Each structure stands twice: as C-alpha cells, then as structure tokens.
Amino acid sequence: MMFSYLLSFLAITSILPLGVFGDSPAASTLYLSQTETQFSLNLPSNSTDVYFYFTSPAYSWVAVGPGTKMAGSLMFIMYSSANGLNVTISPRIATGNTEPTFAKEIQIETLPGTGITNQSFVLNAVCRNCRSWNGGSLDVTSTTQPWMYAFGPTNDVVSDSPSAPLRRHRDYGHFQMDMVHATGEGGVPGPSTTMNGTALVGSLVMDGDKASIIHAILFSFAILIMFPFNVILVGFFKTTKLHVWFSGLIMIFVITGFALGIYVSGEYNRSKHFNSAHQIFGFIIMAIFIGIAAMGGFQARQHKAAAAAFQSPSNGRREPTKLDSAHKWIGRLVWVLGIVNGGLGLQFSDSPMRTRIIYALVTVALALPLVIVYSCIWRKRKVKQDMNEDRDVVLEAYYATQPKPQY
C-alpha cells in the first residue's frame, strides 16, 4: 500500500513544473521594495513556453510587458477576480499609449498557488508558445531585454473577464532583464525579495488620467458656475457687451473640455467608438453651443442696427423679438442637458458613488439659487410690464377724452 502511494506521488510530481515542488529553476527576478512587487521569469531550454511568478499588493491592476513602449508589447495584466479570492490574468497587446486589448490567441495557464493571499496577488503561470506574438517577440539571447511595469489607480478592478475595462496607470517604470540568466530547466520561479538578473532603468514615474480630470473640471465649471453667472449679468446689469465677452470665455472652456474629451475617448477601448450616451450628448451640446454663439452674434448685429435707427431716447426701448426668446430658451435647454451629461459622464467613467453623490448635491445647491434669480428677474420684468400696460391704458383713456383735431 505504501509503495503504491509512493508511486502515485512520484507520478504527480513528475508532471508538475519544477518550482511548484522542489528547487527553484533558473530565473531573472524584478523586485520593487516600494510596493513589494515581484516578477520572476523562467525560459525552459527545451520548449517555447514561458514560466513566471508574479505577485503584488491587491489594490488594483498591475502589469508587466516586454519593450520600451506600449505599442506592440505583450503585457501580462492581473487583477482581482469577481469573488475577490482569485486572480484574473489578462494578456493584452496595445497599439499605442492607449488601453491594451485582450489577446485571446495568447494562452496562459494558471498553476497551483495562484490566488489572493494576505491582500496580495499571487500568480504562478505558464504561457504556451508566447515568445513571439502579433507585433513583437522576446529576444531570448539578450542580456538586456527591455521591460516595462505599471500600476493601476486606487479604484479596484474586480472581474473574471480578461477584457475588463482598465483605467490609465497611476505609476509606471522600466527595467532590463537578462534572458540568458533566466534560461534553463523549466518551472515556476519561487518567491524572492532581491533583484536577480535585472536592473531598473530610471525611476518610478507618477502618471494618472489628468486629461480626463481636466475635461470634467472644465465642463463642470462652465455649466455649473459660469453659465448661471452669465444669466445674472444679463438679468440684473443689462450689459450686453459684458455678456458677449463672458459668453466667449465660456466657449473657450467648453471647446477645450470637448477637445480633451475627444482625446480621452481615444485612450480607452470602451470609448473609442463614440457611441455612448455621454459622448452623443456631448456632440449635441457642442453643436447647440455653437448655434447659440452664432445666434448671439446675429442678435448683436441686429441690436446695433436697431440702435442706429432710433431717433430719440423716448422710443429707444426695444421689444424682445422671437430670436431673443429662442436664444434664451435654447440657452436654458443646453444648461439642463449639460447638467444631465455631467452625471452621464461620471457613470460612463465608472466614478465612485461618492463622487456622483457630491456632483448631485453641488448641482442642486447651485441650481436652487439660479431658480431664485430667475424668479426675481421674471417678477421684475412682470412688474415693469404691468406698469407699462397701466401707463398705456391711462394714456389711451386720456387721449380718448380729448377733442379730435380738425382737418
């Protein structure tokens, strides 16, 4: 009986890669003490497989990939599985400085020991026939093969899908790896806290999705702050020239934010097709803003021509035209659309719920005073209109009592 158990144990260990049981195989190792991240690579001398051990704190996604730039690099990206107990490994290839796309042709097999342990990702894996891929290859004879590493932002990625959407990296860096030193008997390398056959190139670079943040700030400031203030300028101060200049400033904010939105959309797989509700509303709002600007310019020319035709101050008051009413109501419409689209943008970018709640509260806090301002302006105009109507009635009654001129 004991002999049969011994034979079974030997049979099992004979098919497992060296490094799961037994001595660690040949490997080159990257170790980052700041984050306690380790990436160790083994190249079996008798196959085209690639074994690797990858561990890092389980706070977001983490990635490594060969090359000096993202374009054409085969990146190994890992993040938490949906149940938070295992690791999802996603091989991806990028075409530039954009979110890489899942490469389903790359086959990675996870091995025993893979999971989340003590709040850290632990990945034991073998990649079958992945020393070359569409757009690049590993130089297994190089002693200075360039590699990159990157860490995602603090928001967690929790998914079983190898094509889960990722945010732009928070930090990244470069290193070189001795591929000859990593070549030998095949197997998963063991844990290590020392650099071995690797050398860092430069220092850790702080990054982040700054363009997306600026895009959100510019649009939010234009819609929630500048737009209502512009209404106050028109309603209380009656300064057309100041209104025109301030409207031009708003357009600068909107156009800059729109351009940044186009740029950011091209960085991510989920937004590069411009078919989301947030993006469609963005194009509509931009078109309306341009229409309002054109309408305002036409109105300014009309007002100037009308002012030149006035003969005396008594008839200088100009009654609102249909174009004035259209300009006013379309402006209110684009303001509401802008607020709604801001919420859609937070949802589309998968912003934290607390950020969405803050946006909603700020919107209500700024909208209520604007409603009060509109009410004051409306009441002021109503009182003035009633006074004018009463004056016209009195004048009409007075003239009715006067004898008609003889011709």
Side-chain angles (χ1 to χ4, degrees):
M1 181 68 70
M2 290 294 296
F3 183 71
S4 63
Y5 283 144
L6 181 60
L7 289 177
S8 298
F9 177 78
L10 291 174
I12 292 173
T13 56
S14 66
I15 63 175
L16 286 174
L18 191 65
V20 175
F21 294 103
D23 297 332
S24 294
S28 289
T29 297
L30 167 74
Y31 182 74
L32 302 174
S33 58
Q34 307 98 309
T35 58
E36 297 183 344
T37 298
Q38 178 193 345
F39 176 73
S40 296
L41 190 75
N42 166 264
L43 301 173
S45 55
N46 59 351
S47 74
T48 57
D49 295 338
V50 175
Y51 288 93
F52 57 91
Y53 174 84
F54 197 8
T55 182
S56 192
Y59 63 87
S60 185
W61 62 263
V62 59
V64 293
T68 58
K69 58 183 180 180
M70 291 181 63
S73 176
L74 171 61
M75 284 169 267
F76 303 111
I77 303 175
M78 66 175 178
Y79 42 87
S80 174
S81 62
N83 61 12
L85 301 176
N86 212 334
V87 170
T88 298
I89 178 65
S90 175
R92 305 193 183 199
I93 299 176
T95 57
N97 292 325
T98 61
E99 181 185 5
T101 303
F102 170 56
K104 60 183 178 181
E105 69 276 10
I106 303 298
Q107 299 299 316
I108 296 180
E109 178 185 348
T110 58
L111 300 173
T114 297
I116 297 179
T117 305
N118 297 326
Q119 298 184 337
S120 290
F121 298 130
V122 178
L123 175 65
N124 296 304
V126 56
C127 187
R128 306 293 185 187
N129 300 313
C130 67
R131 298 191 184 187
S132 63
W133 57 90
N134 182 23
S137 62
L138 285 175
D139 183 359
V140 297
T141 64
S142 174
T143 58
T144 56
Q145 167 70 47
W147 285 76
M148 304 171 289
Y149 63 90
F151 301 97
T154 53
N155 66 304
D156 295 330
V157 180
V158 180
S159 176
D160 292 329
S161 171
S163 58
L166 305 176
R167 286 180 178 270
R168 185 185 177 100
H169 41 63
R170 186 196 65 185
D171 315 283
Y172 68 92
H174 297 84
F175 64 100
Q176 293 177 344
M177 181 170 278
D178 187 341
M179 308 303 282
V180 177
H181 184 77
T183 302
E185 292 292 332
V188 177
S192 176
T193 57
T194 58
M195 300 280 280
N196 186 14
T198 59
L200 291 175
V201 178
S203 57
L204 187 69
V205 179
M206 302 294 291
D207 194 36
D209 197 355
K210 300 180 182 66
S212 181
I213 296 173
I214 297 174
H215 161 77
I217 291 175
L218 288 178
F219 260 114
S220 297
F221 189 75
I223 295 295
L224 298 180
I225 304 296
M226 300 179 72
F227 207 93
F229 185 73
N230 203 18
V231 172
I232 295 175
L233 287 178
V234 176
F236 281 100
F237 299 104
K238 304 293 183 182
T239 54
T240 303
K241 183 177 292 187
L242 186 59
H243 169 64
V244 170
W245 282 102
F246 201 75
S247 297
L249 183 60
I250 294 175
M251 281 299 299
I252 293 174
F253 273 67
V254 170
I255 292 174
T256 305
F258 182 77
L260 285 173
I262 297 293
Y263 170 76
V264 171
S265 294
E267 287 190 316
Y268 296 100
N269 295 328
R270 64 185 180 275
S271 59
K272 62 178 59 175
H273 301 295
F274 297 93
N275 56 3
S276 70
H278 173 65
Q279 292 168 306
I280 293 172
F281 266 94
F283 282 106
I284 293 174
I285 290 171
M286 192 66 215
I288 295 176
F289 260 114
I290 294 174
I292 290 178
M295 188 182 298
F298 183 72
Q299 283 178 282
R301 295 182 63 181
Q302 276 193 328
H303 295 175
K304 188 175 181 179
F310 290 153
Q311 300 298 319
S312 65
S314 61
N315 62 356
R317 187 173 61 89
R318 189 183 63 84
E319 294 296 329
T321 65
K322 291 183 178 180
L323 190 61
D324 293 330
S325 298
H327 181 83
K328 176 176 62 178
W329 284 103
I330 293 175
R332 293 171 181 173
L333 171 64
V334 76
W335 178 67
V336 173
L337 288 177
I339 291 176
V340 172
N341 204 37
L344 290 175
L346 293 176
Q347 182 181 14
F348 182 60
S349 63
D350 199 25
S351 296
M353 183 56 66
R354 64 178 179 274
T355 303
R356 305 184 200 184
I357 294 175
I358 292 173
Y359 176 79
L361 293 176
V362 171
T363 299
V364 172
L366 293 174
L368 284 178
L370 187 61
V371 171
I372 295 174
V373 170
Y374 265 123
S375 299
C376 293
I377 294 174
W378 180 81
R379 291 186 64 180
K380 182 179 178 181
R381 288 177 177 174
K382 188 73 168 73
V383 169
K384 189 173 183 179
Q385 182 180 357
D386 291 342
M387 290 177 61
N388 290 334
E389 290 178 354
D390 292 342
R391 184 193 63 183
D392 292 341
V393 169
V394 171
L395 289 176
E396 185 176 339
Y398 170 76
Y399 287 125
T401 61
Q402 298 303 308
K404 295 182 178 180
Q406 299 294 326
Y407 297 100

